[in-house]
Amino acid sequence: MRTSRPRSSLFIKNWTITISTEAYKKIERWTEQDTPNEAAGYLMGSFSTTLNRLTVIDATYCAQKKPSRTSATLPAAHDHEETMNTVKLTGNQVFPVGTWHSHPETSPEASPKDKATLSNISRFISERPQPYIMLINGRNHQKTLSMITPEEWN
């Protein structure tokens, strides 16, 4: 796993989010490779609730069994080999902190399905509330980032 110097930080809901240039490059490459269909994967990193900081150092790719222009499906992180290899390789110091997917033919704005997915994430990680982000890569390299914070699990 290669990392690179982080891009400039983003600030969302009193959290600092940093995504490495290498993760962005991978997402761009996979988006282009799968266009006109959606591409998707996991964002790998770590976080600190003390510092309100989330850092993404890598991204994984999940090949779509049924490619579609309007949706992508991710396996559970623990069932995705590349994602779990990253977790094991780093001694559980790097883990899924969110997901990414593309909107190759539309804007990167979250669709109703995207919003529902993000709001339902809590049932998958409710044992240990953590920040969770969703990055959407749209056409012309436009991106949006949505986040749910530990305080929102209540």
Side-chain angles (χ1 to χ4, degrees):
M1 175 177 51
R2 224 176 81 190
T3 60
S4 59
R5 200 162 18 124
R7 282 183 79 142
S8 47
S9 297
L10 307 165
F11 303 96
I12 302 174
K13 299 180 181 181
N14 295 320
W15 279 75
T16 302
I17 313 295
T18 305
I19 302 177
S20 75
T21 301
E22 184 66 24
Y24 274 126
K25 285 179 181 178
K26 286 181 173 184
I27 291 166
E28 289 290 339
R29 185 175 72 241
W30 291 320
T31 296
E32 188 174 314
Q33 165 191 301
D34 283 10
T35 295
N37 297 314
E38 285 197 9
Y42 285 98
L43 298 169
M44 306 299 291
S46 60
F47 66 90
S48 167
T49 54
T50 304
L51 300 173
N52 278 15
R53 181 170 191 83
L54 185 144
T55 303
V56 174
I57 65 163
D58 200 9
T60 63
Y61 171 75
C62 300
Q64 297 298 298
K65 291 181 180 179
K66 295 182 179 181
S68 167
R69 292 174 179 246
T70 58
S71 68
T73 303
L74 291 173
H78 64 268
D79 290 333
H80 187 246
E81 186 176 351
E82 182 184 357
T83 298
M84 293 315 298
N85 284 343
T86 300
V87 172
K88 290 174 188 171
L89 180 68
T90 64
N92 296 320
Q93 297 301 304
V94 172
F95 45 86
V97 293
T99 61
W100 69 270
H101 70 278
S102 64
H103 285 180
E105 297 182 340
T106 62
S107 78
E109 296 303 314
S111 68
K113 181 181 176 184
D114 294 333
K115 292 175 183 175
T117 298
L118 192 61
S119 69
N120 288 328
I121 290 292
S122 63
R123 66 188 168 117
F124 297 108
I125 56 175
S126 61
E127 292 176 12
R128 181 177 167 210
Q130 70 178 63
Y132 197 84
I133 59 175
M134 177 187 288
L135 183 135
I136 302 173
N137 190 36
R139 66 175 181 253
N140 300 324
H141 311 286
Q142 297 174 329
K143 294 172 181 52
T144 60
L145 189 66
S146 302
M147 178 179 194
I148 188 162
T149 64
E151 298 78 22
E152 295 174 281
W153 296 125
N154 300 327

